Amino acid sequence: MCIRDRDMEVQQRAVEFSQLLSKSELWSKVLAAVPAASAETDEDGMVMESPSLAISANSSAGPAATGGDGLDDLMGGLGGMGAPAPAPAASSDGLDDLLGDLLGGMGSAPTPAPAPVAGGLDSLLGGLDLGGVSAPAPAPMPSGFVGYQKNGLTISFDCKRNPTNAAMITLRATYLNQTAGAMTNFSIQTAVPKEMKLRLQPISSSNIAQGGTAQQLIDIMNPQNLPLRIMMKIQFALNGQQMQDQAIAEGFPNF
């Protein structure tokens, strides 16, 4: 039925029409022929309205219709031929409110997405002071030519020829302790081929801490400029255990 139509304007007209049907005394007035309007023309040729229609419509007697705005509203404003009746304002209690209840209001701005909550791994680690934890310092790397590497001991040589005597070679031997403990009573015996002469300087220390080094200068006279070969006998104690080894350092680069 039109009374239940979703359009509020249709509902209002349906109610007025049903009430008019129940009041038969108004039928003769509603269905009466409308008298011809007397029109006047202004100086520009435009037709001017006549007030007779407004008078005849407003002078009709009879009981007032209930449930609406009277005969004028029922006939769509025929009682006045002047300015057109304004369009009915949209009711806030109509379809918009119905959909607003169901959908939460289509005209409202969309609800903004919630801001991301700070957390996760950053929050978990945020209270930990990682700045005070420093990585262990890397063990020093040997420099120069590596002539021996065994049992946690690395022996490297830095070679230099005497600028005033080309036959004289000076080696700086570095003994690097790469074990997990200290080396004590460290000693080394060296020898060269019979064509060469050797002179040893005292070792800087007989005890080499973990990750530490000891150094020793070795002078070699090599008049025939033969390839260097150094025989070594190594002894030291590590964690109460005596270590001993023999080796030959050779293959020195040209210098």
Side-chain angles (χ1 to χ4, degrees):
M1 297 176 63
C2 295
I3 297 178
R4 299 178 181 177
D5 194 273
R6 300 174 69 179
D7 191 339
M8 296 299 296
E9 180 67 20
V10 175
Q11 292 183 22
Q12 180 178 351
R13 296 305 178 189
V15 171
E16 294 174 352
F17 187 73
S18 62
Q19 292 181 356
L20 177 61
L21 293 179
S22 64
K23 298 182 182 297
S24 57
E25 64 272 13
L26 297 179
W27 292 0
S28 60
K29 295 183 177 64
V30 173
L31 300 178
V34 179
S38 59
E40 298 180 0
T41 304
D42 61 5
E43 58 183 3
D44 295 329
M46 301 296 295
V47 177
M48 304 293 292
E49 67 177 33
S50 174
S52 59
L53 286 178
I55 296 174
S56 61
N58 291 331
S59 61
S60 60
T66 61
D69 295 334
L71 186 59
D72 292 341
D73 289 341
L74 179 62
M75 299 305 294
L78 289 180
M81 296 296 292
S91 174
S92 61
D93 297 330
L95 183 60
D96 291 341
D97 288 347
L98 178 61
L99 293 178
D101 294 338
L102 296 178
L103 302 179
M106 297 297 292
S108 59
T111 303
V117 179
L121 186 59
D122 293 340
S123 296
L124 180 61
L125 299 179
L128 298 179
D129 184 10
L130 299 181
V133 180
S134 59
M141 299 300 296
S143 62
F145 171 73
V146 177
Y148 178 87
Q149 195 167 30
K150 188 177 179 181
N151 298 326
L153 173 65
T154 299
I155 302 177
S156 60
F157 299 92
D158 292 320
C159 307
K160 183 179 179 181
R161 193 177 295 273
N162 193 313
T164 60
N165 186 357
M168 178 66 69
I169 300 173
T170 300
L171 304 179
R172 184 178 64 183
T174 300
Y175 311 118
L176 172 62
N177 178 7
Q178 294 181 308
T179 67
M183 294 179 177
T184 59
N185 299 324
F186 183 88
S187 66
I188 183 170
Q189 298 177 3
T190 60
V192 293
K194 61 182 180 178
E195 294 83 4
M196 306 177 191
K197 292 183 178 180
L198 175 68
R199 183 177 63 184
L200 289 176
Q201 300 290 338
I203 191 171
S204 62
S205 176
S206 60
N207 297 321
I208 307 175
Q210 176 186 358
T213 60
Q215 293 182 345
Q216 187 176 24
L217 292 179
I218 305 173
D219 294 327
I220 299 177
M221 180 65 71
N222 184 13
Q224 302 180 22
N225 198 25
L226 298 176
L228 290 180
R229 296 179 75 247
I230 302 177
M231 285 72 75
M232 300 177 294
K233 183 178 180 181
I234 306 164
Q235 292 179 334
F236 60 89
L238 178 65
N239 297 327
Q241 182 180 359
Q242 292 296 321
M243 308 293 294
Q244 183 174 342
D245 193 19
Q246 295 182 3
I248 298 177
E250 56 186 351
F252 286 84
N254 294 327
F255 54 90

